[in-house]
Amino acid sequence: MSETPVRRSGRVTINDVAARAGVSRGAVSLAFNNRPGVSEATRERIMEAVTELGWVPSQTAIKLSGSATGAADTVGLVIARPARQLGLEPFYMEFISGAESVLEEHRCSLLLHLVRDVTQEIAVHREWWQSRRIAGSILVDIQQNDPRVTELAAIGLPAVAVGHPSLTGGFTSVWTDDEAAVHEAVRYLAALGHRRIARVGGHPSLGHTIIRTAALNSIVAELGLEPARSVTTDYSGEQGARATRSLLASPHRPTAIVYDNDIMAVAGLSVAAEMGLDVPRDVSLIAWDDSQLCQLTHPTLSAMSHDVFGFGADVTRRLFDVVHRRDLSSGPAAPPVLLPRGSSAPPRQPTD
Amino acid sequence: MSETPVRRSGRVTINDVAARAGVSRGAVSLAFNNRPGVSEATRERIMEAVTELGWVPSQTAIKLSGSATGAADTVGLVIARPARQLGLEPFYMEFISGAESVLEEHRCSLLLHLVRDVTQEIAVHREWWQSRRIAGSILVDIQQNDPRVTELAAIGLPAVAVGHPSLTGGFTSVWTDDEAAVHEAVRYLAALGHRRIARVGGHPSLGHTIIRTAALNSIVAELGLEPARSVTTDYSGEQGARATRSLLASPHRPTAIVYDNDIMAVAGLSVAAEMGLDVPRDVSLIAWDDSQLCQLTHPTLSAMSHDVFGFGADVTRRLFDVVHRRDLSSGPAAPPVLLPRGSSAPPRQPTD
């Protein structure tokens, strides 16, 4: 992890912070623990030194601090998506439920905050961590060149990042093997006889959207299929419906569509019915994430099935390892598995 | 609110607590603010006195307390449902998203905890409130004779209860007019010509399930329809499917089914297709809550539409009023509105 600016506990000591701020060790302790006895100006100077040096006090110091009530049994999660949109996406509630299943075992709680963008997210994490309200955080929706990777590492926040290690810097990360999953879905469709495959993807700035697009392009080239069209969306059913309508109305209609979540695939199924197209004979649909929605539609939706609940639990278990410095290693989550159901079949007639 | 054991700030003073515990006012302050200087045994005695008397320190005292970091800008929510089930229910994520939209305006966070039952929920709220980690809480899934109503009032927790005022004791409450909504749905179905109406309800212990069952029975009697069968479930799609299958396989098959949420109505739609029944000609379906799911199915689902996001926002706004003692009054949420869509129509032939 030498390529990151993370400084772990033990490298920087309270003496370094005191020296940088030009104060006594006692003053650092008072300021850090939010106790009276230092002026506001001094407090600010000390906290700047803490941030600059990435000082993390030992667990013993935390336990001894009277003001740390709560920090030891609280985990933070900040989500930078519009509040209204979040309620419509089964992924997050399942992820949070999985996280809660582990937190519950440890009698811990989740401190949840919705913000507008990553800049606000950084500010919230900084405040939570420096005011000792959380023991650590879960970072989600990792982007390319994500500013959280450097800025939150710099303040020494213990965290697990949900994203491919190529995107998460020195943070412990847990990721889904999106490339393998896209390859599996496309190989299966190609084996059924599909040659023109499209994709309704997620948000274009997210790391895993970019990985999935690249994986789709590489596998269709490798298998000699037609170039694949990917449309990006905000993950909402509404945009999923619009993207599906646009793909199915195009002169070179795809015979199969792969979706980046399941709510958009449900919307796609409805658009096909509205346009008088039979699923799977006229068009095959493959969903992603596989919440219970996929089994409630008619026909049922084939999906890249991903235990989102288990993923949330796994990430949270790793966060406890990171917080207690037992294990900082990254690892992939259980790989998504293709579950063919009623929405995928050979195309009605060969395409070319 | 004289019928409840709530003691609001101003009635009980720090002097009362000190007298009850046999200590000085200073010791009460140290213990309450989690500062060193009192023995653990004394602390416990003082906190018992705080609990017994329901002492709530003034906002000024809270602001002055160095250890209160976090309390002023954190709201608690404890949900007593199995973690895995929660992820599958769009209601909660929309409710939480609505709450977050208001918390975001106030730069506040939500402290979320999943527990197994109401007893655990009481313990979590007690700990959060007494360790000053939250400014107040939202109480959901109110049951008949709910123990939270007396026990959390006794510790002086500022809270808003989501439930009918007949169930929420002295707590400020926000509720949906479930009776009016059931009456509206049934009157509409009766006007279409339905005489045999069934319902797939929610959890039998919940207050609003009981209110909806009573409302259904009273309106079918009033309109001279056949007695209505209500089946209770855990709100999952799986149990919704099973209940629908059982109703549609019965010798006196209903011509219309009303569901207590939308995921069960989606499951019901799929069961009708699986059984070769046409929706709405053979059976009309009406969902509840009306998340975007209802517009993604084919046919689209008629629903008692309820702005769950707005409900979560409204409850949270009232909680801020309660915390700041601006307004303790209860009030109904915006009433659910019947939105007829593709899943309801006159029955194919008159039933009797």
Side-chain angles (χ1 to χ4, degrees):
Chain A
M1 291 200 271
S2 56
E3 75 282 11
T4 78
V6 182
R7 293 170 195 247
R8 301 269 175 211
S9 169
R11 298 197 207 160
V12 176
T13 69
I14 192 169
N15 293 323
D16 300 323
V17 177
R20 169 75 67 111
V23 297
S24 68
R25 290 171 46 163
V28 173
S29 177
L30 289 171
F32 197 86
N33 290 316
N34 213 12
R35 300 291 184 84
V38 285
S39 73
E40 198 43 45
T42 305
R43 237 183 80 74
E44 278 182 17
R45 200 164 73 244
I46 292 167
M47 293 314 291
E48 270 170 29
V50 166
T51 308
E52 281 166 27
L53 297 172
W55 179 58
V56 183
S58 69
Q59 287 295 315
T60 321
I62 292 172
K63 288 277 184 214
L64 291 174
S65 149
S67 70
T69 312
D73 58 4
T74 306
V75 162
L77 175 64
V78 182
I79 302 179
R81 289 202 189 180
R84 191 170 277 276
Q85 191 183 306
L86 191 69
L88 308 176
E89 166 71 83
F91 179 89
Y92 270 107
M93 201 68 209
E94 290 200 40
F95 184 87
I96 289 171
S97 300
E100 284 283 355
S101 72
V102 173
L103 292 171
E104 194 188 349
E105 285 165 20
H106 293 78
R107 298 173 49 84
C108 287
S109 308
L110 187 73
L111 192 59
L112 179 69
H113 197 71
L114 262 59
V115 294
R116 275 150 220 234
D117 55 39
V118 168
T119 309
Q120 279 193 353
E121 175 172 345
I122 290 169
V124 169
H125 277 299
R126 195 187 290 269
E127 191 186 318
W128 282 353
W129 174 240
Q130 286 172 354
S131 65
R132 318 296 299 286
R133 291 178 56 195
I134 52 172
S137 265
I138 296 169
L139 306 178
V140 294
D141 282 341
I142 300 289
Q143 306 175 4
Q144 267 198 323
N145 304 314
D146 199 305
R148 288 173 292 178
V149 167
T150 45
E151 298 203 25
L152 296 179
I155 63 167
L157 176 74
V160 172
V162 177
H164 193 267
S166 64
L167 303 167
T168 57
F171 282 109
T172 292
S173 70
V174 185
W175 69 94
T176 310
D177 190 342
D178 287 289
E179 186 185 38
V182 168
H183 286 187
E184 186 182 357
V186 173
R187 279 183 198 285
Y188 161 72
L189 290 168
L192 292 179
H194 294 274
R195 301 203 61 240
R196 194 181 294 140
I197 297 168
R199 167 166 157 269
V200 176
H203 201 280
S205 71
L206 297 180
H208 64 269
T209 304
I210 296 164
I211 289 171
R212 290 181 193 179
T213 304
L216 176 64
N217 293 338
S218 75
I219 188 73
V220 298
E222 187 188 320
L223 298 175
L225 308 179
E226 293 186 29
R229 194 167 152 207
S230 282
V231 186
T232 54
T233 67
D234 64 358
Y235 289 110
S236 67
E238 198 184 351
Q239 291 205 6
R242 200 180 309 158
T244 306
R245 214 172 275 120
S246 147
L247 288 168
L248 294 181
S250 69
H252 290 281
R253 171 153 68 79
T255 61
I257 306 177
V258 179
Y259 292 83
D260 266 16
N261 72 359
D262 52 16
I263 198 101
M264 294 196 294
V266 173
L269 196 58
S270 188
V271 166
E274 149 211 318
M275 293 175 73
L277 295 172
D278 181 76
V279 174
R281 290 296 145 204
D282 293 318
V283 61
S284 287
L285 306 183
I286 297 191
W288 204 296
D289 290 341
D290 196 27
S291 76
Q292 73 171 351
L293 282 180
C294 295
Q295 295 169 61
L296 298 179
T297 55
H298 191 85
T300 53
L301 281 164
S302 303
M304 294 310 302
S305 183
H306 178 196
D307 179 4
V308 178
F309 182 94
F311 190 37
D314 186 24
V315 168
T316 309
R317 248 178 246 117
R318 275 183 200 263
L319 179 59
F320 279 103
D321 285 342
V322 168
V323 165
H324 297 295
R325 314 215 186 295
R326 288 190 295 251
D327 183 2
L328 304 179
S329 63
S330 297
V337 173
L338 177 69
L339 283 189
R341 296 200 187 91
S343 67
S344 53
R348 197 190 283 275
Q349 60 217 8
T351 60
D352 62 335
Chain B
M1 291 202 271
S2 56
E3 75 282 11
T4 78
V6 181
R7 295 173 193 248
R8 301 268 173 210
S9 168
R11 298 198 208 161
V12 176
T13 68
I14 192 170
N15 294 324
D16 301 323
V17 176
R20 169 74 68 114
V23 297
S24 69
R25 289 173 46 166
V28 173
S29 177
L30 288 172
F32 196 86
N33 290 316
N34 212 14
R35 300 291 184 83
V38 284
S39 73
E40 197 45 43
T42 306
R43 235 184 81 74
E44 277 182 18
R45 201 165 71 244
I46 292 168
M47 292 315 290
E48 271 170 28
V50 166
T51 308
E52 281 166 25
L53 296 172
W55 178 59
V56 182
S58 69
Q59 287 295 316
T60 320
I62 292 173
K63 288 276 185 215
L64 291 174
S65 149
S67 70
T69 311
D73 58 4
T74 306
V75 162
L77 175 64
V78 182
I79 302 180
R81 289 200 188 182
R84 191 170 278 275
Q85 191 183 307
L86 191 70
L88 308 175
E89 166 71 82
F91 178 89
Y92 270 108
M93 201 68 208
E94 289 200 41
F95 184 87
I96 289 171
S97 299
E100 285 282 356
S101 72
V102 173
L103 292 171
E104 194 188 349
E105 285 164 19
H106 293 78
R107 298 172 51 84
C108 287
S109 308
L110 186 73
L111 193 59
L112 179 70
H113 198 72
L114 262 60
V115 294
R116 275 149 221 232
D117 55 39
V118 169
T119 310
Q120 279 192 355
E121 176 172 344
I122 290 169
V124 169
H125 277 299
R126 196 187 289 271
E127 191 186 318
W128 281 354
W129 175 239
Q130 287 172 354
S131 65
R132 319 293 300 286
R133 292 177 58 195
I134 53 170
S137 265
I138 296 170
L139 307 178
V140 294
D141 283 342
I142 300 289
Q143 306 175 4
Q144 268 198 322
N145 304 314
D146 198 304
R148 287 173 293 179
V149 168
T150 45
E151 298 203 24
L152 296 179
I155 62 167
L157 175 74
V160 171
V162 176
H164 193 267
S166 64
L167 304 167
T168 57
F171 281 109
T172 293
S173 70
V174 186
W175 69 95
T176 309
D177 190 342
D178 287 289
E179 186 185 39
V182 168
H183 287 188
E184 186 181 358
V186 173
R187 279 183 199 285
Y188 161 72
L189 289 169
L192 292 179
H194 293 274
R195 302 205 60 240
R196 193 182 294 139
I197 297 168
R199 167 167 158 270
V200 176
H203 201 281
S205 72
L206 296 181
H208 65 269
T209 304
I210 296 164
I211 289 171
R212 290 181 193 180
T213 305
L216 176 63
N217 294 338
S218 74
I219 187 73
V220 298
E222 186 188 320
L223 298 176
L225 308 179
E226 294 186 28
R229 194 168 152 206
S230 280
V231 187
T232 55
T233 67
D234 63 359
Y235 289 110
S236 68
E238 198 184 349
Q239 291 205 5
R242 201 181 308 157
T244 305
R245 213 173 275 119
S246 148
L247 288 168
L248 294 180
S250 70
H252 290 281
R253 172 152 69 77
T255 62
I257 306 177
V258 180
Y259 293 83
D260 266 16
N261 71 359
D262 52 15
I263 198 101
M264 294 197 294
V266 173
L269 196 58
S270 189
V271 166
E274 151 210 318
M275 294 175 74
L277 296 172
D278 182 77
V279 175
R281 290 294 145 206
D282 294 316
V283 61
S284 287
L285 306 183
I286 296 191
W288 203 296
D289 291 340
D290 196 28
S291 77
Q292 73 169 351
L293 283 180
C294 294
Q295 295 169 61
L296 297 180
T297 55
H298 192 84
T300 54
L301 281 164
S302 303
M304 294 309 303
S305 184
H306 178 196
D307 179 3
V308 177
F309 182 93
F311 190 37
D314 187 24
V315 167
T316 309
R317 249 178 247 116
R318 276 183 200 264
L319 179 59
F320 279 102
D321 285 342
V322 168
V323 165
H324 296 295
R325 315 214 186 293
R326 287 190 296 253
D327 184 2
L328 304 179
S329 63
S330 297
V337 172
L338 176 69
L339 282 188
R341 296 200 187 91
S343 67
S344 53
R348 196 190 285 276
Q349 60 217 6
T351 61
D352 63 337

